[in-house]
Amino acid sequence: MTTISVRNLKKTFKVKEKEKGFIGSIKSIFKPKYKEIKAVNDISFDVEEGEIIAFIGPNGAGKSTTIKMLTGILYPDEGSINVLDINPTKARKKLAYQIGTVFGQKEQLWMHLTPLDNFKFFASIYDISDKEAEVRIEELCNTFDLKEFINTPVRNLSLGQRIRCEIVASLIHKPKVLFLDEPTIGLDPVVKENIRKLIKQMNKEYNTTIFLTSHDISDIEKLCNRVIIINYGQIVMDTSMTNLKYHYMDKKIIEVMLKEKIDFKNAEGIEILKEKDNNLKIEIDTKKTDLTTVLQLINPENIVDINISNTPLEEIISAIYRR
Ligand code: ATP
């Protein structure tokens, strides 16, 4: 079943043009010049029930503007949107009962209340009876392991604990679609992994359709079955995760500080990008060799520090354009 359907969606913003110089002229205060920004420029796509879809792109690509239109916060200039057979522009409130939203950079919970009080508050907003809310909150707290800090005011929680609570708060009313905008931003790798597990679990247990934006390639790699890449307001690619991985995410970067030098020169699938003293930056072609094989070439006792990263999103997009 199609859960989200978008056709020829467009949104343009009118913004004041920046003048030359730091301050600009006095005249510009009274007669400002405007320019148009095509934040979303004719995009179309469908999302099926139960899909975990990544909607990604560089800064300013149009992701948030699209999510805002999908959730009814912003009105499109042109095009049509259908989320769960509801037009968000016409029936935002009706849609709110069916969807959940989590914005990693913007808290939705009341900071001075405890998570439990927040959850009760959200339940009452969604017209859920006290009895039903009690059962639902208990179920979610068990699933997401929140018991330890359920009675601690949100302002005293760690960022990771708060995001877990934000996700639970967005699930109180059993939404069929969840919009997650940068849910793991600013979290450390262990907490990130935890949040990813929760998202996966939620999708599996409740068949929730998940629409995710993230700058973190690992979020996308670990969570999503499909990826839509947007740039300058237009869809650059709409493909399966498997396809994206095979064609564009076939490189890993290892930066390692060693006690003693290692010679990688003849190793298959390894390219040395930088070498200075005992610091080494290498690129691995995962089509030719895998990460484990390369790591086995380095004696753990010889490592002072190591960092393994994926190809940055911007490079993946350039590669797509090059092709
Ligand atoms: P980021 O990853 O940085 O959050 P994004 O892909 O979510 O970026 P949007 O926030 O959708 O990008 O912005 C798309 C473009 O529209 C940008 O050029 C932005 O400056 C512009 N824009 C967004 N909202 C407004 C607004 N309310 N008024 C004017 N311009 C806006």
Side-chain angles (χ1 to χ4, degrees):
M1 200 185 95
T2 304
T3 304
I4 302 172
S5 181
V6 170
R7 289 290 171 275
N8 307 106
L9 195 63
K10 291 186 185 175
K11 181 79 190 175
T12 302
F13 292 110
K14 234 179 171 184
V15 291
K16 261 190 206 167
E17 208 159 10
K18 194 180 174 307
E19 277 196 85
K20 275 185 194 153
F22 183 62
I23 304 177
S25 70
I26 298 286
K27 204 174 125 198
S28 72
I29 300 174
F30 302 104
K31 263 195 165 179
K33 278 188 187 159
Y34 288 94
K35 65 172 178 180
E36 286 194 337
I37 294 178
K38 290 182 176 173
V40 173
N41 188 12
D42 200 1
I43 63 169
S44 302
F45 60 87
D46 288 326
V47 181
E48 299 302 312
E49 187 181 2
E51 264 194 296
I52 308 187
I53 188 161
F55 193 68
I56 59 173
N59 290 118
K63 305 178 294 288
S64 301
T65 307
T66 306
I67 289 203
K68 284 178 190 161
M69 289 193 280
L70 293 180
T71 50
I73 297 169
L74 267 181
Y75 290 177
D77 295 333
E78 278 178 52
S80 66
I81 309 170
N82 189 310
V83 180
L84 297 160
D85 286 330
I86 299 169
N87 178 345
T89 313
K90 291 196 177 138
R92 179 183 166 190
K93 213 168 155 192
K94 188 176 167 200
L95 182 68
Y97 280 87
Q98 312 268 353
I99 62 167
T101 50
V102 175
F103 295 94
Q105 282 165 306
K106 195 171 177 290
E107 62 270 2
Q108 298 185 90
L109 299 172
W110 292 86
M111 299 304 267
H112 58 285
L113 296 182
T114 65
L116 183 61
D117 288 339
N118 265 291
F119 300 153
K120 287 182 185 165
F121 172 71
F122 278 87
S124 72
I125 285 182
Y126 289 113
D127 303 327
I128 301 169
S129 72
D130 288 353
K131 215 170 165 194
E132 210 183 318
E134 203 178 307
V135 176
R136 178 72 176 152
I137 292 169
E138 171 135 25
E139 178 192 60
L140 287 168
C141 289
N142 285 336
T143 314
F144 295 123
D145 207 11
L146 304 186
K147 286 238 161 98
E148 207 184 297
F149 47 85
I150 190 94
N151 287 313
T152 308
V154 173
R155 64 168 183 271
N156 295 336
L157 298 181
S158 71
L159 181 61
Q161 290 169 335
R162 181 177 70 74
I163 298 286
R164 267 152 78 186
C165 293
E166 294 273 358
I167 294 179
V168 166
S170 74
L171 294 175
I172 297 279
H173 57 300
K174 299 186 182 168
K176 296 193 182 87
V177 184
L178 193 61
F179 292 93
L180 300 168
D181 198 353
E182 298 276 356
T184 65
I185 197 159
L187 301 177
D188 70 50
V190 178
V191 183
K192 272 186 185 199
E193 201 48 49
N194 248 326
I195 300 287
R196 286 176 197 138
K197 268 193 203 149
L198 299 186
I199 296 172
K200 271 226 138 132
Q201 194 178 341
M202 187 169 63
N203 166 264
K204 212 169 151 198
E205 282 183 21
Y206 308 111
N207 201 29
T208 320
T209 306
I210 294 167
F211 194 89
L212 169 101
T213 81
S214 179
H215 281 279
D216 189 328
I217 281 286
S218 307
D219 276 351
I220 297 148
E221 195 178 357
K222 290 182 180 157
L223 283 171
C224 304
N225 352 80
R226 187 177 144 208
V227 182
I228 296 181
I229 300 178
I230 177 169
N231 201 14
Y232 297 113
Q234 293 193 312
I235 291 178
V236 177
M237 182 175 260
D238 181 347
T239 188
S240 70
M241 190 65 232
T242 324
N243 194 30
L244 188 80
K245 248 180 164 170
Y246 185 76
H247 290 290
Y248 300 99
M249 291 167 69
D250 52 357
K251 305 275 191 300
K252 295 256 179 210
I253 310 284
I254 301 183
E255 286 170 279
V256 63
M257 191 191 281
L258 299 162
K259 286 181 192 156
E260 281 172 32
K261 277 188 182 174
I262 307 176
D263 187 7
F264 279 116
K265 287 201 174 81
N266 296 321
E268 166 90 1
I270 295 179
E271 190 188 335
I272 297 167
L273 300 178
K274 225 190 228 174
E275 192 171 11
K276 197 178 174 222
D277 305 326
N278 287 353
N279 297 323
L280 201 60
K281 187 173 179 182
I282 55 176
E283 186 180 77
I284 302 172
D285 185 339
T286 51
K287 275 186 188 160
K288 292 184 183 153
T289 183
D290 60 57
L291 194 57
T292 325
T293 314
V294 178
L295 289 175
Q296 275 165 358
L297 299 175
I298 314 172
N299 176 3
E301 289 185 4
N302 190 16
I303 299 174
V304 180
D305 197 7
I306 188 162
N307 180 36
I308 303 167
S309 53
N310 289 300
T311 317
L313 182 60
E314 285 69 15
E315 272 181 39
I316 295 176
I317 293 175
S318 318
I320 292 168
Y321 275 125
R322 279 199 302 274
R323 283 198 183 188

